[in-house]
Amino acid sequence: MSGLVAAQASQIAQADASLAVYSVVAATASAAIAGSLYGNSLSDVARSGISKQQISLLAGADADGDINSARLNYRIEPKKIFWKTKDFALSANLELSIGQWQADRKYKDRSLTDFGITPVFKIKSHEKSPWYAEVGVGVHLLSQVHIKDYTKSTQFQFGDQFGLGWENQQFRVGYKYLHVSNANIEIPNPSTDFHFVELGYRF
């Protein structure tokens, strides 16, 4: 009976994670399409030059609580806003990251390194607001496919992320959710979901 309950709980958790991932992908695609239709093209934004750069340190754990992770992110924020109105501002940023995964001591395969590149769309109520929400879908390369008690099949993975937080001209404090999987390019495809606290310096 307890095994059945555990299996049902696992299925519910996987369904919740899948819904979150689909929501991030849909929000990212919608932001890209809307910005292109009503604002500037991504090529115009890229050519506008750099307004801000950002270095962030993230620390967190996976949803199961037995993989800890630390990440170092470097972000480029272009001068031109992707799309803005009187009550809304959407910026398109590029984020490069490196992360270390460290599993619990009870597992044989305990660590790997993760390299990522992600376009991130940041949403604010207006351009100068300190509060933000952001979504992004990028690609990740893992140093190996074995971690904890499962195998990821491919070193190439997709990373879907969602964040909330506060920032000013110099600092950022926020929360970030990161889902890493290979979108069923090859099976088995065990996903890993992280929850991070982010501290950043903007310059």
Side-chain angles (χ1 to χ4, degrees):
M1 183 69 178
S2 61
L4 178 61
V5 172
Q8 289 176 336
S10 176
Q11 289 177 347
I12 292 171
Q14 290 177 356
D16 289 344
S18 297
L19 178 61
V21 170
Y22 293 144
S23 298
V24 169
V25 173
T28 304
S30 299
I33 293 170
S36 297
L37 289 175
Y38 301 106
N40 298 292
S41 70
L42 287 174
S43 60
D44 287 340
V45 171
R47 287 196 297 266
S48 68
I50 297 174
S51 170
K52 281 282 186 182
Q53 299 175 70
Q54 177 180 298
I55 295 177
S56 293
L57 181 63
L58 293 84
D62 74 330
D64 295 329
D66 50 10
I67 300 180
N68 295 317
S69 180
R71 300 192 69 82
L72 181 65
N73 289 1
Y74 168 70
R75 180 178 292 196
I76 299 170
E77 302 182 8
K79 290 180 180 178
K80 185 169 284 188
I81 295 294
F82 190 38
W83 176 29
K84 66 179 178 179
T85 67
K86 183 179 65 175
D87 303 311
F88 177 85
L90 176 68
S91 59
N93 308 311
L94 182 65
E95 185 174 270
L96 308 176
S97 64
I98 179 171
Q100 186 69 26
W101 303 15
Q102 192 70 37
D104 193 275
R105 291 182 179 273
K106 66 183 178 181
Y107 298 110
K108 177 183 176 182
D109 297 303
R110 294 186 54 219
S111 66
L112 62 78
T113 304
D114 161 21
F115 303 90
I117 179 169
T118 307
V120 179
F121 293 98
K122 183 168 61 178
I123 305 159
K124 293 186 172 185
S125 58
H126 57 84
E127 191 176 350
K128 301 299 182 182
S129 172
W131 302 101
Y132 69 84
E134 59 186 25
V135 294
V137 178
V139 294
H140 289 243
L141 182 65
L142 307 183
S143 60
Q144 65 166 356
V145 296
H146 305 289
I147 185 69
K148 210 165 66 171
D149 55 355
Y150 58 78
T151 299
K152 278 191 167 289
S153 295
T154 61
Q155 288 177 270
F156 176 83
Q157 301 276 304
F158 293 98
D160 312 310
Q161 65 181 52
F162 166 77
L164 293 169
W166 175 94
E167 66 182 13
N168 61 17
Q169 290 298 309
Q170 284 189 295
F171 302 104
R172 159 185 282 221
V173 179
Y175 159 81
K176 181 171 288 186
Y177 162 81
L178 173 65
H179 170 91
V180 180
S181 71
N182 71 11
N184 288 338
I185 292 174
E186 192 171 329
I187 301 297
N189 177 34
S191 63
T192 308
D193 299 280
F194 288 105
H195 300 278
F196 290 104
V197 173
E198 178 180 9
L199 299 175
Y201 175 70
R202 307 175 76 219
F203 57 97

